[in-house]
Amino acid sequence: MEMQEKALVEKLDEAAGYLRGILGGIEPEIGLILGSGLGPFAETLEDAIFVPYADVPFMKTSSATSHVGRFVIGRSEGKWVICMQGRLHGYEGYSSQDVAFPVWMMHKLGVDTIIVTNAAGAINENYSVGDFCIMSDHINFTGRNPVAGMEPDQIAFRFFSMLDAYDRELRKIAKDEAISFGIPVQEGVYLGLLGPSFETPAEIRAFRSWGADTVAMSVCEEVIAARHVGMRVLGMSLCSNMACGVDGASPNDVEVLEVAEQRSHDFVLLMQAIIKRI
Ligand code: HPA
């Protein structure tokens, strides 16, 4: 007889239990998902503990360039945080629930606030390459939702509101801190796609007419999972490029990583200042 596959809730318990065993009483309160080129923040943590995704039961691993694929748990501004140094993307062939798995797992570890970050293309013509953009809301255009299916309903109730999914207080903190450092910051609507091809100019024009300011290939599914279990969310993009067709732009992954590297110092400053105030 075929072995029955474990239920999602059991897999999450096992994964969280594995990490708890390594952490020995340390309880991270803030989770960060570090996007393309933004992983170096994890190296600023004190007393860091590194746990490769491949070691965690039922967790998938990152294959994307610059996504290291490990949890880094450590202290920042005196607070215990857990970073995902590299994320899981739908375009790697992972299901929506695979992408959401570490978010639900971090919640089980006691994380109640999550900061999701990424590199994104700027659709809004008033934005510049190198600007940070606080997510005020999102348009999930991946065509997927991690809470769809029978199992996520066992984690938490499936019909939840997405009003103010991006926490107003956290957005204000992020904006105040960026302004106080003189870091260029925008606040806008993020549109998430499956990828991995970049968008066409016609798509970008259509997304602009829908009210989207930035676009990339992550975040929405993670944020839906986080809201599903009631976590507070802050979303922060780095505008690594103008979106396809804007001023003749034609995005590529090398440019994305180069800009992220150039802006990495400001990113670290900003994250630390925000963490201090959470
Ligand atoms: N489009 C989609 N994803 C991205 C982009 C973009 O322009 N830049 C960084 N990630």
Side-chain angles (χ1 to χ4, degrees), residues 17-117:
Y18 175 81
L19 267 164
R20 248 185 244 114
I22 292 176
L23 295 181
I26 293 167
E27 288 184 5
E29 46 178 316
I30 302 166
L32 283 99
I33 305 183
L34 302 171
S36 295
L38 303 174
F41 172 80
E43 267 123 62
T44 69
L45 298 185
E46 291 161 44
D47 305 320
I49 300 164
F50 301 89
V51 184
Y53 298 159
D55 290 359
V56 179
F58 308 109
M59 173 86 188
K60 300 289 197 275
T61 62
S62 312
S63 71
T65 327
S66 95
H67 289 255
V68 180
R70 63 183 180 186
F71 290 103
V72 186
I73 303 98
R75 278 185 303 119
S76 179
E77 303 299 319
K79 291 176 184 155
W80 283 100
V81 305
I82 177 165
C83 291
M84 289 181 68
Q85 199 176 26
R87 60 154 49 84
L88 307 175
H89 302 85
Y91 67 66
E92 295 171 87
Y94 295 136
S95 74
S96 201
Q97 285 175 13
D98 288 337
V99 171
F101 189 86
V103 176
W104 284 322
M105 190 207 66
M106 287 191 273
H107 179 250
K108 277 201 177 286
L109 285 177
V111 170
D112 61 12
T113 303
I114 190 159
I115 305 177
V116 291
T117 71

Side-chain angles (χ1 to χ4, degrees), residues 1 5 64 78 118 124 128 133 136 150 195 231 236 239 254 270:
M1 203 179 81
E5 223 206 312
N118 68 356
N124 188 319
S128 301
C133 184
S136 57
M150 298 309 286
M231 291 162 108
M236 177 79 71
C239 298
V254 175
L270 192 50

Side-chain angles (χ1 to χ4, degrees), residues 216-232:
M217 306 170 192
S218 60
V219 165
C220 292
E221 293 166 283
E222 297 158 354
V223 170
I224 290 168
R227 292 305 302 149
H228 175 226
V229 291
M231 291 162 108
R232 285 204 304 168

